Amino acid sequence: MEEPKTFFIKTYGCQMNELDSDIMVGQLTKRGLERVEDENGADLLIFNTCSIRDLAERKVMGKIGQLGRVRKRRPIIGVTGCMAMAKKEGIFRKLPHVDFVLGTNNITDLDEVLNDYIQSGRPSIRVDKQFEENLDYLVAKRDSKVKAYVSIIRGCDKFCTYCVVPYTRGPEVSRPPQDIIEEVRKLAAEGYKEITLLGQNVNSYGKDKPEWNCLFHDLLYQLDKIEGIERIRFLTSHPIDITLDLMYAIRDLPSVCEFVHFPIQAGSSRILRKMHRIYSKEEYLEKVHQLKSIVPNAALGTDIIVGFPTETEEEFLETYKVFEDIKYSVAFIFTYSPRQGTPALRWKDDIPEEVKLDRLHRLSDLHKRQVAEQYVGLLGTTREVLVEKRNRNGQLKGRTSCWKKVIFDGPDSLVGSIQKVHLHSFNHETLVGNISL
Ligand code: 5AD
Ligand code: SF4
């Protein structure tokens, strides 16, 4: 089999997958392949998949399934990411035209797996359970020149009963602080202004390596010192691991944004217990209270699952009430989706789809109204916006430190800079303003 010359990559799912795709793009470019945007011309197709909900998996299966039928010239097809881990060899059975399967912990092996396939013409698979810290993050090829994802911890040890991640990404493995610092320094030297530290649970950082003596807040203090990085964000935080030290770091470090994605998942303590979230509603609200008293301007984000097995209307109303009280800036709301291999599968998925959707709509309507109120409160004020790029309508686009999207007119030279923008109106989820001189 010939060495492929071009490749196409499609990414599904979360930010960690986006970063993994950027790393694979870097690896393939180093190998001499050229990235193409049209899958029809490509010699190699990679699908970096997600298993978090059934819909995500169905999309990928449908997409790759189609390729088996319609194509004349056969490209090499590789499946990577969480579905590779969830289905392993099963992927070859379901999709016989797939040539290699590469798990979330084996991105380093992309070259090797390709070589195997090219030499033997036989399907190849690498799906290690645990991540080995041997990945060359520095090859990553990012689309943006302004903001970058930086991985600090992989895997998850929390085992929420609904979630596939502990099985598809394995146990928590922190990345050495000096490697993270080296990468962030390099990004700063290349002109990047914002980094988002990534992990399924960033607040667990360093706990698996006590000998490093570097917990998440310690890492923030180190990264804040790096000249040129104006903003540091982080995703995702498990409420149980949010410490007072972290709250002080958010308050005291100028580059750390006052925005915390802090998923509650459900507002009923009984459901939280069943989800194995290891905090009660009261404990969560206490953390929010602490955070707000230490960082009064902190904006909060959440993820929610509605229609978890046995969730009653009253229990859903507890989630609704939490929303009324907290007034999140960002909320991702999902209907429960049973996943193979998770403990929640032992319970019947007993909430009818229309009830789940009704709860989802009620909550997202409330959230939309609250966001609109937050936007009204911002009108007439001036906010610092990191300018990321020009949007399709020719306006400059960026975000405030609290992650609010802002558009305004201005020259290209402003991309990559922080501008003071006077906000005068908003449409949908975007604030509109003009540069204040
Ligand atoms: N069903 C619905 N939503 C889920 N999530 C994780 N697993 C499931 C599931 N089985 C949601 C959680 C998590 C987000 C990334 O996806 O809210 O925080
Ligand atoms: Fe999944 Fe829970 Fe781990 Fe988040 S903390 S990745 S929801 S198991």
Side-chain angles (χ1 to χ4, degrees):
M1 169 137 294
E2 264 178 54
E3 170 75 20
K5 294 190 181 61
T6 55
F7 72 97
F8 166 87
I9 185 163
K10 181 154 177 68
T11 311
Y12 298 84
C14 68
Q15 292 85 359
M16 195 62 104
N17 263 11
E18 283 178 41
L19 175 60
D20 286 348
S21 288
D22 290 347
I23 296 170
M24 288 192 275
V25 170
Q27 288 170 323
L28 293 169
T29 310
K30 203 166 157 194
R31 189 180 169 117
L33 277 77
E34 188 197 337
R35 181 178 186 175
V36 292
E37 297 303 330
D38 178 9
E39 64 184 75
N40 290 309
D43 303 328
L44 164 66
L45 306 180
I46 294 189
F47 296 92
N48 193 11
T49 61
C50 170
S51 287
I52 199 95
R53 282 168 291 275
D54 185 46
L55 184 64
E57 275 198 354
R58 281 205 314 249
K59 268 193 209 158
V60 182
M61 295 300 276
K63 172 78 195 160
I64 307 178
Q66 271 177 1
L67 293 173
R69 275 178 254 128
V70 294
R71 299 183 71 88
K72 286 189 220 99
R73 194 176 60 88
R74 213 174 103 50
I76 302 174
I77 301 179
V79 174
T80 66
C82 285
M83 217 178 83
M85 299 299 284
K87 298 201 185 303
K88 302 199 172 69
E89 285 83 3
I91 292 195
F92 296 129
R93 283 196 294 279
K94 285 226 165 84
L95 303 164
H97 49 296
V98 167
D99 301 306
F100 68 86
V101 169
L102 192 70
T104 49
N105 297 322
N106 294 78
I107 298 175
T108 318
D109 303 329
L110 177 59
D111 256 327
E112 219 178 271
V113 112
L114 256 181
N115 290 343
D116 276 5
Y117 177 71
I118 291 168
Q119 274 159 26
S120 71
R122 279 198 301 275
S124 190
I125 180 162
R126 300 272 198 295
V127 278
D128 292 350
K129 282 209 174 80
Q130 176 150 0
F131 179 69
E132 292 273 345
E133 198 46 87
N134 56 5
L135 188 54
D136 181 7
Y137 287 98
L138 302 187
V139 298
K141 262 190 166 306
R142 298 170 166 92
D143 290 337
S144 168
K145 295 276 166 254
V146 178
K147 54 180 198 168
Y149 292 132
V150 174
S151 167
I152 64 162
I153 178 168
R154 285 179 175 254
C156 181
D157 292 344
K158 289 287 187 286
F159 291 93
C160 302
T161 53
Y162 51 79
C163 185
V164 286
V165 169
Y167 314 99
T168 60
R169 287 195 169 264
E172 288 172 357
V173 180
S174 298
R175 183 177 171 201
Q178 58 277 19
D179 289 9
I180 299 170
I181 292 166
E182 184 194 342
E183 181 176 6
V184 176
R185 283 210 182 108
K186 177 173 173 263
L187 290 167
E190 288 169 6
Y192 283 88
K193 295 291 185 301
E194 176 179 302
I195 54 162
T196 302
L197 306 175
L198 288 188
Q200 262 69 43
N201 180 14
V202 284
N203 312 108
S204 288
Y205 179 78
K207 287 189 184 171
D208 55 323
K209 300 281 185 335
E211 65 277 18
W212 292 350
N213 222 348
C214 182
L215 294 177
F216 182 52
H217 64 274
D218 300 314
L219 182 70
L220 288 177
Y221 279 88
Q222 304 259 358
L223 296 176
D224 179 68
K225 288 190 216 143
I226 297 177
E227 200 79 23
I229 298 297
E230 314 252 9
R231 286 182 178 176
I232 301 178
R233 300 184 186 281
F234 50 90
L235 273 176
T236 286
S237 300
H238 192 293
I240 205 78
D241 293 322
I242 295 212
T243 58
L244 282 174
D245 283 330
L246 174 62
M247 298 179 195
Y248 295 132
I250 300 172
R251 181 191 65 190
D252 296 339
L253 298 176
S255 62
V256 175
C257 292
E258 294 177 339
F259 172 76
V260 187
H261 193 69
F262 193 40
I264 185 171
Q265 307 291 1
S268 137
S269 293
R270 187 187 73 89
I271 294 292
L272 287 170
R273 233 180 1 261
K274 222 171 150 70
M275 287 178 162
H276 188 62
R277 284 297 285 180
I278 54 182
Y279 52 80
S280 63
K281 173 173 79 175
E282 290 70 28
E283 284 161 336
Y284 178 91
L285 294 177
E286 177 55 27
K287 290 256 176 171
V288 171
H289 177 72
Q290 273 176 338
L291 178 63
K292 286 272 183 190
S293 55
I294 294 170
V295 190
N297 293 327
L300 292 179
T302 192
D303 293 347
I304 295 288
I305 299 176
V306 292
F308 192 72
T310 73
E311 183 189 61
T312 63
E313 172 66 13
E314 290 67 37
E315 286 166 336
F316 165 72
L317 289 175
E318 287 191 70
T319 308
Y320 195 90
K321 176 81 169 53
V322 168
F323 261 59
E324 284 180 325
D325 294 346
I326 294 187
K327 302 188 173 64
Y328 291 106
S329 298
V330 175
F332 298 104
I333 307 165
F334 309 104
T335 56
Y336 170 67
S337 163
R339 310 307 297 129
Q340 280 304 325
T342 60
L345 213 65
R346 76 188 119 131
W347 299 305
K348 187 163 171 256
D349 179 19
D350 60 348
I351 310 298
E353 212 48 40
E354 60 273 18
V355 175
K356 287 182 186 171
L357 284 174
D358 174 61
R359 290 179 187 169
L360 179 135
H361 291 143
R362 278 191 278 163
L363 210 49
S364 56
D365 285 349
L366 169 63
H367 177 62
K368 275 190 201 132
R369 287 196 301 275
Q370 291 179 323
V371 169
E373 276 165 28
Q374 291 164 20
Y375 282 9
V376 169
L378 284 167
L379 297 185
T381 67
T382 297
R383 286 285 182 274
E384 290 196 338
V385 174
L386 172 60
V387 189
E388 291 167 19
K389 59 177 176 187
R390 210 171 266 293
N391 69 10
R392 275 189 228 122
N393 301 330
Q395 285 155 311
L396 293 176
K397 182 180 152 211
R399 287 193 190 259
T400 67
S401 75
C402 286
W403 220 55
K404 300 256 187 286
K405 230 185 276 170
V406 179
I407 53 172
F408 60 101
D409 290 323
D412 283 345
S413 57
L414 299 187
V415 171
S417 68
I418 291 191
Q419 294 296 320
K420 288 198 165 64
V421 180
H422 181 75
L423 305 171
H424 57 68
S425 56
F426 66 92
N427 51 49
H428 305 294
E429 298 204 342
T430 306
L431 287 151
V432 189
N434 44 275
I435 303 177
S436 54
L437 298 168

Short mmCIF file of all heavy atoms in Angstrom, two decimals, residues 53-95:
data_model
loop_
_atom_site.label_atom_id
_atom_site.label_comp_id
_atom_site.label_asym_id
_atom_site.label_seq_id
_atom_site.Cartn_x
_atom_site.Cartn_y
_atom_site.Cartn_z
N ARG A 53 -22.71 10.83 24.49
CA ARG A 53 -24.14 10.55 24.39
C ARG A 53 -24.38 9.69 23.16
O ARG A 53 -23.58 9.70 22.22
CB ARG A 53 -24.96 11.85 24.32
CG ARG A 53 -25.13 12.50 25.69
CD ARG A 53 -25.68 13.89 25.57
NE ARG A 53 -24.72 14.77 24.97
CZ ARG A 53 -23.75 15.40 25.64
NH1 ARG A 53 -23.63 15.26 26.94
NH2 ARG A 53 -22.88 16.17 25.01
N ASP A 54 -25.53 9.03 23.15
CA ASP A 54 -25.85 8.13 22.05
C ASP A 54 -25.84 8.86 20.70
O ASP A 54 -25.34 8.35 19.71
CB ASP A 54 -27.23 7.53 22.34
CG ASP A 54 -27.59 6.49 21.32
OD1 ASP A 54 -26.73 5.64 21.03
OD2 ASP A 54 -28.71 6.53 20.79
N LEU A 55 -26.35 10.09 20.70
CA LEU A 55 -26.45 10.85 19.45
C LEU A 55 -25.06 11.06 18.83
O LEU A 55 -24.89 10.93 17.61
CB LEU A 55 -27.11 12.20 19.72
CG LEU A 55 -27.37 13.05 18.48
CD1 LEU A 55 -28.38 12.36 17.57
CD2 LEU A 55 -27.91 14.43 18.88
N ALA A 56 -24.07 11.35 19.68
CA ALA A 56 -22.70 11.58 19.19
C ALA A 56 -22.20 10.33 18.49
O ALA A 56 -21.61 10.40 17.41
CB ALA A 56 -21.79 11.95 20.36
N GLU A 57 -22.47 9.17 19.07
CA GLU A 57 -22.00 7.91 18.45
C GLU A 57 -22.75 7.61 17.17
O GLU A 57 -22.17 7.18 16.18
CB GLU A 57 -22.19 6.75 19.43
CG GLU A 57 -21.06 6.62 20.39
CD GLU A 57 -21.00 5.26 21.06
OE1 GLU A 57 -21.92 4.43 20.86
OE2 GLU A 57 -20.03 5.03 21.80
N ARG A 58 -24.07 7.87 17.20
CA ARG A 58 -24.87 7.56 15.99
C ARG A 58 -24.41 8.39 14.81
O ARG A 58 -24.35 7.91 13.68
CB ARG A 58 -26.35 7.77 16.28
CG ARG A 58 -26.97 6.61 17.05
CD ARG A 58 -28.46 6.55 16.78
NE ARG A 58 -29.04 7.88 16.88
CZ ARG A 58 -29.87 8.29 17.84
NH1 ARG A 58 -30.23 7.48 18.76
NH2 ARG A 58 -30.34 9.51 17.85
N LYS A 59 -24.07 9.67 15.09
CA LYS A 59 -23.60 10.55 14.01
C LYS A 59 -22.37 9.98 13.34
O LYS A 59 -22.27 9.92 12.13
CB LYS A 59 -23.22 11.93 14.60
CG LYS A 59 -24.32 12.94 14.61
CD LYS A 59 -23.70 14.30 14.90
CE LYS A 59 -24.65 15.22 15.60
NZ LYS A 59 -24.00 16.29 16.33
N VAL A 60 -21.41 9.55 14.17
CA VAL A 60 -20.15 9.03 13.63
C VAL A 60 -20.40 7.74 12.88
O VAL A 60 -19.90 7.54 11.76
CB VAL A 60 -19.15 8.76 14.77
CG1 VAL A 60 -17.83 8.27 14.20
CG2 VAL A 60 -18.92 9.99 15.59
N MET A 61 -21.18 6.84 13.47
CA MET A 61 -21.44 5.55 12.83
C MET A 61 -22.10 5.77 11.47
O MET A 61 -21.73 5.14 10.48
CB MET A 61 -22.34 4.65 13.70
CG MET A 61 -21.75 4.23 15.01
SD MET A 61 -20.24 3.29 14.89
CE MET A 61 -20.85 1.65 14.61
N GLY A 62 -23.06 6.69 11.43
CA GLY A 62 -23.76 6.99 10.16
C GLY A 62 -22.77 7.52 9.13
O GLY A 62 -22.74 7.06 7.99
N LYS A 63 -21.95 8.44 9.55
CA LYS A 63 -21.00 9.10 8.65
C LYS A 63 -20.01 8.09 8.07
O LYS A 63 -19.81 8.01 6.86
CB LYS A 63 -20.26 10.19 9.45
CG LYS A 63 -19.13 10.85 8.76
CD LYS A 63 -19.65 11.86 7.78
CE LYS A 63 -18.56 12.27 6.82
NZ LYS A 63 -19.09 12.86 5.62
N ILE A 64 -19.41 7.27 8.96
CA ILE A 64 -18.39 6.33 8.47
C ILE A 64 -19.07 5.20 7.69
O ILE A 64 -18.54 4.72 6.69
CB ILE A 64 -17.53 5.76 9.62
CG1 ILE A 64 -16.95 6.92 10.44
CG2 ILE A 64 -16.40 4.90 9.08
CD1 ILE A 64 -16.12 6.49 11.63
N GLY A 65 -20.26 4.82 8.14
CA GLY A 65 -21.02 3.78 7.44
C GLY A 65 -21.23 4.14 5.97
O GLY A 65 -21.01 3.33 5.08
N GLN A 66 -21.60 5.39 5.72
CA GLN A 66 -21.85 5.86 4.34
C GLN A 66 -20.62 5.70 3.46
O GLN A 66 -20.72 5.36 2.29
CB GLN A 66 -22.12 7.37 4.37
CG GLN A 66 -23.55 7.73 4.56
CD GLN A 66 -23.66 9.25 4.65
OE1 GLN A 66 -22.68 9.98 4.56
NE2 GLN A 66 -24.87 9.70 4.87
N LEU A 67 -19.44 5.93 4.04
CA LEU A 67 -18.21 5.90 3.25
C LEU A 67 -17.98 4.53 2.63
O LEU A 67 -17.41 4.43 1.55
CB LEU A 67 -17.00 6.24 4.13
CG LEU A 67 -16.96 7.66 4.66
CD1 LEU A 67 -15.82 7.80 5.64
CD2 LEU A 67 -16.79 8.64 3.51
N GLY A 68 -18.41 3.48 3.34
CA GLY A 68 -18.21 2.13 2.83
C GLY A 68 -18.95 1.93 1.53
O GLY A 68 -18.55 1.14 0.68
N ARG A 69 -20.06 2.64 1.35
CA ARG A 69 -20.91 2.39 0.18
C ARG A 69 -20.53 3.22 -1.03
O ARG A 69 -20.38 2.70 -2.11
CB ARG A 69 -22.36 2.69 0.55
CG ARG A 69 -23.01 1.49 1.20
CD ARG A 69 -24.42 1.79 1.61
NE ARG A 69 -24.51 1.94 3.07
CZ ARG A 69 -25.04 2.96 3.69
NH1 ARG A 69 -25.59 3.94 3.01
NH2 ARG A 69 -25.08 3.01 5.00
N VAL A 70 -20.32 4.53 -0.82
CA VAL A 70 -20.31 5.42 -1.99
C VAL A 70 -18.95 5.63 -2.64
O VAL A 70 -18.88 6.13 -3.75
CB VAL A 70 -20.89 6.81 -1.64
CG1 VAL A 70 -22.35 6.68 -1.30
CG2 VAL A 70 -20.14 7.44 -0.48
N ARG A 71 -17.87 5.22 -2.00
CA ARG A 71 -16.58 5.64 -2.54
C ARG A 71 -16.05 4.71 -3.61
O ARG A 71 -16.20 3.50 -3.53
CB ARG A 71 -15.57 5.76 -1.40
CG ARG A 71 -16.00 6.80 -0.40
CD ARG A 71 -14.97 6.94 0.65
NE ARG A 71 -13.79 7.58 0.10
CZ ARG A 71 -13.64 8.89 0.06
NH1 ARG A 71 -14.58 9.67 0.49
NH2 ARG A 71 -12.55 9.42 -0.43
N LYS A 72 -15.40 5.32 -4.63
CA LYS A 72 -14.78 4.51 -5.70
C LYS A 72 -13.35 4.19 -5.32
O LYS A 72 -12.95 3.06 -5.14
CB LYS A 72 -14.81 5.29 -7.02
CG LYS A 72 -16.19 5.35 -7.65
CD LYS A 72 -16.11 5.94 -9.06
CE LYS A 72 -17.27 6.88 -9.32
NZ LYS A 72 -16.99 8.29 -9.18
N ARG A 73 -12.53 5.26 -5.15
CA ARG A 73 -11.13 5.06 -4.78
C ARG A 73 -11.08 4.98 -3.24
O ARG A 73 -11.58 5.85 -2.55
CB ARG A 73 -10.32 6.26 -5.25
CG ARG A 73 -8.82 6.03 -5.23
CD ARG A 73 -8.15 7.24 -5.81
NE ARG A 73 -8.46 8.45 -5.04
CZ ARG A 73 -7.76 8.86 -3.99
NH1 ARG A 73 -6.73 8.18 -3.57
NH2 ARG A 73 -8.10 9.97 -3.35
N ARG A 74 -10.52 3.91 -2.73
CA ARG A 74 -10.60 3.72 -1.30
C ARG A 74 -9.48 4.41 -0.53
O ARG A 74 -8.31 4.10 -0.73
CB ARG A 74 -10.56 2.22 -1.02
CG ARG A 74 -11.40 1.85 0.19
CD ARG A 74 -11.49 0.38 0.38
NE ARG A 74 -10.63 -0.14 1.45
CZ ARG A 74 -10.57 0.33 2.67
NH1 ARG A 74 -11.26 1.38 3.00
NH2 ARG A 74 -9.79 -0.23 3.58
N PRO A 75 -9.85 5.35 0.33
CA PRO A 75 -8.81 5.96 1.17
C PRO A 75 -8.55 5.07 2.40
O PRO A 75 -9.32 4.15 2.66
CB PRO A 75 -9.47 7.26 1.63
CG PRO A 75 -10.93 6.93 1.66
CD PRO A 75 -11.19 5.85 0.65
N ILE A 76 -7.49 5.36 3.14
CA ILE A 76 -7.28 4.70 4.43
C ILE A 76 -8.23 5.38 5.42
O ILE A 76 -8.33 6.61 5.45
CB ILE A 76 -5.82 4.86 4.91
CG1 ILE A 76 -4.86 4.31 3.88
CG2 ILE A 76 -5.61 4.21 6.27
CD1 ILE A 76 -3.38 4.57 4.20
N ILE A 77 -8.93 4.59 6.23
CA ILE A 77 -9.87 5.18 7.19
C ILE A 77 -9.46 4.80 8.61
O ILE A 77 -9.29 3.60 8.92
CB ILE A 77 -11.32 4.71 6.93
CG1 ILE A 77 -11.74 5.10 5.51
CG2 ILE A 77 -12.28 5.31 7.96
CD1 ILE A 77 -13.15 4.67 5.14
N GLY A 78 -9.29 5.81 9.47
CA GLY A 78 -8.92 5.56 10.86
C GLY A 78 -9.97 6.14 11.80
O GLY A 78 -10.50 7.22 11.57
N VAL A 79 -10.28 5.38 12.86
CA VAL A 79 -11.19 5.88 13.90
C VAL A 79 -10.38 6.08 15.17
O VAL A 79 -9.69 5.16 15.63
CB VAL A 79 -12.35 4.90 14.15
CG1 VAL A 79 -13.20 5.34 15.33
CG2 VAL A 79 -13.21 4.77 12.90
N THR A 80 -10.44 7.30 15.72
CA THR A 80 -9.70 7.61 16.94
C THR A 80 -10.70 8.16 17.98
O THR A 80 -11.88 8.33 17.67
CB THR A 80 -8.62 8.67 16.66
OG1 THR A 80 -9.28 9.89 16.30
CG2 THR A 80 -7.70 8.25 15.52
N GLY A 81 -10.22 8.43 19.19
CA GLY A 81 -11.07 9.09 20.19
C GLY A 81 -11.87 8.11 21.02
O GLY A 81 -11.58 6.92 21.10
N CYS A 82 -12.92 8.63 21.68
CA CYS A 82 -13.62 7.86 22.72
C CYS A 82 -14.37 6.65 22.18
O CYS A 82 -14.46 5.62 22.84
CB CYS A 82 -14.57 8.78 23.48
SG CYS A 82 -13.66 9.84 24.62
N MET A 83 -14.92 6.74 20.96
CA MET A 83 -15.64 5.59 20.42
C MET A 83 -14.69 4.44 20.14
O MET A 83 -15.05 3.27 20.25
CB MET A 83 -16.38 6.00 19.16
CG MET A 83 -17.71 5.33 19.03
SD MET A 83 -18.51 5.92 17.56
CE MET A 83 -17.75 4.89 16.34
N ALA A 84 -13.45 4.80 19.78
CA ALA A 84 -12.43 3.77 19.55
C ALA A 84 -12.22 2.97 20.83
O ALA A 84 -12.06 1.75 20.81
CB ALA A 84 -11.12 4.43 19.11
N MET A 85 -12.27 3.67 21.97
CA MET A 85 -12.06 3.02 23.26
C MET A 85 -13.30 2.26 23.70
O MET A 85 -13.23 1.22 24.33
CB MET A 85 -11.73 4.05 24.34
CG MET A 85 -10.48 4.82 24.09
SD MET A 85 -9.05 3.77 24.01
CE MET A 85 -8.77 3.40 25.73
N ALA A 86 -14.47 2.83 23.40
CA ALA A 86 -15.71 2.20 23.86
C ALA A 86 -15.99 0.93 23.06
O ALA A 86 -16.51 -0.04 23.61
CB ALA A 86 -16.87 3.18 23.73
N LYS A 87 -15.65 0.92 21.78
CA LYS A 87 -16.02 -0.24 20.94
C LYS A 87 -14.83 -1.12 20.56
O LYS A 87 -15.02 -2.26 20.12
CB LYS A 87 -16.72 0.25 19.68
CG LYS A 87 -18.03 0.98 19.95
CD LYS A 87 -18.92 0.98 18.74
CE LYS A 87 -20.17 1.80 18.92
NZ LYS A 87 -21.01 1.40 20.07
N LYS A 88 -13.65 -0.61 20.64
CA LYS A 88 -12.41 -1.35 20.33
C LYS A 88 -12.56 -2.17 19.02
O LYS A 88 -12.96 -1.62 18.01
CB LYS A 88 -12.02 -2.22 21.51
CG LYS A 88 -11.82 -1.41 22.78
CD LYS A 88 -11.01 -2.16 23.79
CE LYS A 88 -10.64 -1.29 24.97
NZ LYS A 88 -11.72 -0.90 25.85
N GLU A 89 -12.24 -3.50 19.05
CA GLU A 89 -12.29 -4.33 17.83
C GLU A 89 -13.69 -4.34 17.22
O GLU A 89 -13.86 -4.59 16.03
CB GLU A 89 -11.90 -5.79 18.12
CG GLU A 89 -10.42 -6.01 18.32
CD GLU A 89 -9.97 -5.69 19.74
OE1 GLU A 89 -10.85 -5.35 20.59
OE2 GLU A 89 -8.76 -5.74 20.00
N GLY A 90 -14.70 -4.08 18.07
CA GLY A 90 -16.09 -4.07 17.59
C GLY A 90 -16.28 -3.12 16.41
O GLY A 90 -17.19 -3.31 15.59
N ILE A 91 -15.44 -2.10 16.32
CA ILE A 91 -15.56 -1.14 15.22
C ILE A 91 -15.31 -1.84 13.88
O ILE A 91 -16.01 -1.62 12.90
CB ILE A 91 -14.57 0.04 15.40
CG1 ILE A 91 -15.03 0.84 16.62
CG2 ILE A 91 -14.46 0.90 14.14
CD1 ILE A 91 -14.43 2.18 16.77
N PHE A 92 -14.32 -2.75 13.84
CA PHE A 92 -14.03 -3.46 12.59
C PHE A 92 -15.22 -4.34 12.18
O PHE A 92 -15.48 -4.53 11.01
CB PHE A 92 -12.78 -4.35 12.73
CG PHE A 92 -11.52 -3.57 12.99
CD1 PHE A 92 -10.69 -3.90 14.05
CD2 PHE A 92 -11.15 -2.52 12.16
CE1 PHE A 92 -9.51 -3.19 14.28
CE2 PHE A 92 -9.98 -1.80 12.39
CZ PHE A 92 -9.17 -2.14 13.45
N ARG A 93 -15.92 -4.88 13.18
CA ARG A 93 -17.07 -5.73 12.85
C ARG A 93 -18.20 -4.89 12.29
O ARG A 93 -18.82 -5.24 11.30
CB ARG A 93 -17.54 -6.50 14.09
CG ARG A 93 -16.66 -7.69 14.44
CD ARG A 93 -17.35 -8.64 15.42
NE ARG A 93 -17.58 -8.03 16.74
CZ ARG A 93 -16.63 -7.95 17.67
NH1 ARG A 93 -15.42 -8.44 17.45
NH2 ARG A 93 -16.88 -7.38 18.85
N LYS A 94 -18.46 -3.75 12.95
CA LYS A 94 -19.60 -2.91 12.53
C LYS A 94 -19.27 -2.15 11.25
O LYS A 94 -20.16 -1.89 10.44
CB LYS A 94 -19.92 -1.90 13.64
CG LYS A 94 -20.62 -2.50 14.84
CD LYS A 94 -21.81 -1.63 15.24
CE LYS A 94 -22.77 -2.31 16.17
NZ LYS A 94 -22.38 -2.23 17.58
N LEU A 95 -18.02 -1.74 11.11
CA LEU A 95 -17.61 -0.92 9.96
C LEU A 95 -16.38 -1.59 9.33
O LEU A 95 -15.24 -1.20 9.60
CB LEU A 95 -17.27 0.51 10.42
CG LEU A 95 -18.36 1.27 11.16
CD1 LEU A 95 -17.78 2.48 11.89
CD2 LEU A 95 -19.45 1.73 10.19
#
